[in-house]
Amino acid sequence: IFFFLMIRRPPRSTQSRSSAASDVYKRQVYDCVSIQSEIQVQFSTIVGDIEAFRALPKFERSTTLYPGPDFQTLDERLQNALLEYLQGFGVNEELAVFIEHVSLDKEQRLYMR
């Protein structure tokens, strides 16, 4: 099951040295796949306008933007750091199971119509 993960953070009320990094994380998009209750990150990319990105049709998203390097080719320490970051937002096996169940349920309801 393929899905995009866009993490939104509330805006910071004060400016600090880390605000530039925070702005990047506000616009970071993860291209993920859920396989057998495991979430696998395919790509991670930064988008300039998250709302414009969301408005794009699903197939245009992958053709109009550079998806970034393949996640598996990133340095292992960076991969681990990004996965820990995602786990902090609840992106884990439990979410993968939920996504798979919702997808199967939706598919069954479509067949029943």
Side-chain angles (χ1 to χ4, degrees):
I1 299 168
F2 169 78
F3 65 97
F4 281 104
L5 176 67
M6 293 179 269
I7 297 175
R8 295 175 150 239
R9 286 186 162 187
R12 292 186 183 240
S13 58
T14 60
Q15 292 290 334
S16 68
R17 279 193 261 161
S18 65
S19 65
S22 176
D23 288 344
V24 166
Y25 284 119
K26 287 182 206 173
R27 299 178 289 127
Q28 194 160 13
V29 177
Y30 295 89
D31 179 344
C32 303
V33 177
S34 177
I35 300 174
Q36 299 177 351
S37 304
E38 183 180 321
I39 293 181
Q40 297 176 358
V41 178
Q42 304 294 311
F43 299 99
S44 176
T45 189
I46 307 296
V47 295
D49 183 353
I50 198 87
E51 294 304 324
F53 179 80
R54 290 183 69 201
L56 284 173
K58 291 179 184 178
F59 295 110
E60 266 187 59
R61 289 177 185 168
S62 60
T63 59
T64 58
L65 295 173
Y66 169 63
D70 185 352
F71 191 77
Q72 299 302 318
T73 64
L74 296 176
D75 183 83
E76 189 174 334
R77 293 172 296 180
L78 180 57
Q79 288 181 38
N80 291 334
L82 288 172
L83 291 174
E84 286 177 21
Y85 173 76
L86 292 175
Q87 287 174 353
F89 284 95
V91 179
N92 53 28
E93 291 82 18
E94 189 175 312
L95 177 64
V97 169
F98 174 77
I99 290 170
E100 290 171 12
H101 283 285
V102 168
S103 177
L104 290 173
D105 181 60
K106 181 178 179 181
E107 184 178 359
Q108 288 300 316
R109 284 187 280 127
L110 290 173
Y111 283 136
M112 299 301 286
R113 288 186 189 183

